Amino acid sequence: MQVMARAASLLLDDFGTHIKQRKIMDTTNKYNQNGTDTAQTGTATTGTETMPTALGGLGKMLVFYIVLNRAFYLQVAGIFLTIILLATVPNCLLSDTAGYGYTTGLASVIGSVAAIYFSTCGAFIVSDLSHRRQRVAMFMLPASKMEKFLARYVHLMVLIPLAAFVGIGVGDILQMILSKATIGDYNSIIATCAGYMSFAGVEGPLNVIDPLVALIYFNSLFLAVGAIFRRHAWLKSNIFIFMGMIVLLIVAAFLMKSLLDMIYGYNGYEIELLASTPRSIVLCAISIVLAAFNYWFGYHIYSRMQVAANRWYNF
């Protein structure tokens, strides 16, 4: 019975990954087909036929991700489109004016989701390599590991947000049409988000630079930590980073207090923070240096990943 259960488990696992692996191999073979056919027949090909082979390794990988994940991009766009329409229909039925309430609320939700995603999406850098067959198929693709790493990063940071933006744009147009048809007035969600961003810039450049640098730092941190884990990387990275920051803050505060007490005596000093502008410049500089190290560390781990004896090695 144990043997039969083990066999059934293996069959289910193979069936669950067979479709995606078949798509990966078919896509890879398609990109190599033109070059192979040309070498065998010696005939010239048209510009359209040679376009995949004319691309560099990074271009091939980007086309590969687009072809492989086109259904996923449509799902992302559809989710944001559905959310906007679900919020718009009740407002059109229950409200007499297209007030800024629900558009401001939607803009706030979208902004919060975007901030969380861009800060933590680096943890998904190896989420497409959770199964051995996925790793083997990925490592067989005709590109260097740097090109695969960059293509994966562009997929997370550009292609998925672009799909979400398309869904938001279509949903915004539809909600304005519905609001105009039922209420006679409308507000734009995208315009509201743009207004928030322009208002932050009016207060000073540091009000834009500080959050941007913080976002880049946390993105790099989640990428570096996420490259260590194979499965459930996002959840594990959040727990690891949260607990690690708490421990580091406690240790740093204890060491600083002990050092100051040793130099100036107990309570013989007063701590004063730097002014806001110098403090922001120093923190931004430190964050940029740490972010560069995190990106290097994440790629350093990614570039050494391999499959050997059914085990996962990333060091």
Side-chain angles (χ1 to χ4, degrees):
M1 292 298 292
Q2 294 180 353
V3 175
M4 294 178 64
R6 178 61 177 170
S9 176
L10 292 174
L11 287 174
L12 289 175
D13 180 69
D14 291 342
F15 178 77
T17 59
H18 173 72
I19 296 177
K20 186 168 185 178
Q21 300 311 316
R22 183 64 178 271
K23 289 172 64 179
I24 293 175
M25 299 308 296
D26 290 345
T27 306
T28 305
N29 292 334
K30 182 181 71 174
Y31 295 148
N32 294 326
Q33 183 177 5
N34 288 332
T36 303
D37 292 344
T38 303
Q40 291 177 351
T41 61
T43 59
T45 57
T46 63
T48 303
E49 292 172 342
T50 59
M51 183 177 64
T53 57
L55 294 173
L58 179 59
K60 288 182 179 181
M61 288 301 303
L62 291 176
V63 174
F64 168 79
Y65 271 109
I66 293 173
V67 173
L68 184 65
N69 297 284
R70 57 186 182 274
F72 174 71
Y73 297 145
L74 291 176
Q75 291 176 1
V76 172
I79 289 173
F80 282 91
L81 172 62
T82 303
I83 292 174
I84 292 175
L85 292 181
L86 288 178
T88 301
V89 172
N91 182 77
C92 293
L93 295 177
L94 302 177
S95 178
D96 295 332
T97 59
Y100 289 94
Y102 86 101
T103 53
T104 303
L106 285 174
S108 300
V109 171
I110 292 172
S112 300
V113 171
I116 294 173
Y117 175 79
F118 281 112
S119 299
T120 63
C121 68
F124 297 108
I125 194 68
V126 295
S127 62
D128 61 335
L129 304 177
S130 58
H131 298 285
R132 182 174 181 271
R133 288 189 176 183
Q134 291 176 333
R135 298 193 292 274
V136 172
M138 179 60 67
F139 294 154
M140 289 177 62
L141 291 174
S144 66
K145 288 190 176 181
M146 171 63 79
E147 293 167 339
K148 295 172 184 176
F149 180 83
L150 291 176
R152 178 66 180 175
Y153 189 74
V154 172
H155 163 73
L156 294 173
M157 292 293 294
V158 177
L159 298 180
I160 293 178
L162 182 61
F165 182 77
V166 170
I168 294 170
V170 174
D172 194 20
I173 294 173
L174 293 178
Q175 70 89 13
M176 286 190 292
I177 293 174
L178 289 175
S179 298
K180 183 65 175 179
T182 57
I183 301 175
D185 191 11
Y186 62 89
N187 291 312
S188 174
I189 300 172
I190 296 178
T192 303
C193 293
Y196 286 150
M197 296 177 64
S198 62
F199 178 77
V202 171
E203 296 295 324
L206 288 178
N207 288 340
V208 178
I209 295 175
D210 287 348
L212 181 61
V213 171
L215 185 146
I216 294 173
Y217 169 74
F218 280 104
N219 178 267
S220 68
L221 182 61
F222 273 86
L223 185 145
V225 177
I228 300 175
F229 300 110
R230 178 176 58 166
R231 297 179 181 177
H232 312 294
W234 188 85
L235 179 61
K236 293 178 181 178
S237 298
N238 275 278
I239 296 174
F240 181 85
I241 292 174
F242 179 74
M243 298 301 296
M245 291 182 67
I246 291 177
V247 173
L248 286 177
L249 288 174
I250 294 175
V251 172
F254 175 78
L255 292 178
M256 182 177 294
K257 186 178 186 306
S258 300
L259 180 62
L260 292 175
D261 288 344
M262 183 176 60
I263 296 175
Y264 299 104
Y266 182 73
N267 288 336
Y269 54 88
E270 182 178 353
I271 298 176
E272 293 184 1
L273 297 176
L274 291 174
S276 60
T277 300
R279 183 172 68 247
S280 297
I281 294 174
V282 171
L283 291 178
C284 286
I286 295 174
S287 299
I288 291 173
V289 173
L290 293 177
F293 171 78
N294 291 334
Y295 284 125
W296 173 85
F297 181 74
Y299 172 71
H300 182 77
I301 296 176
Y302 186 93
S303 63
R304 282 158 177 75
M305 289 181 178
Q306 56 183 324
V307 180
N310 290 331
R311 293 183 179 273
W312 173 258
Y313 296 98
N314 55 9
F315 287 101

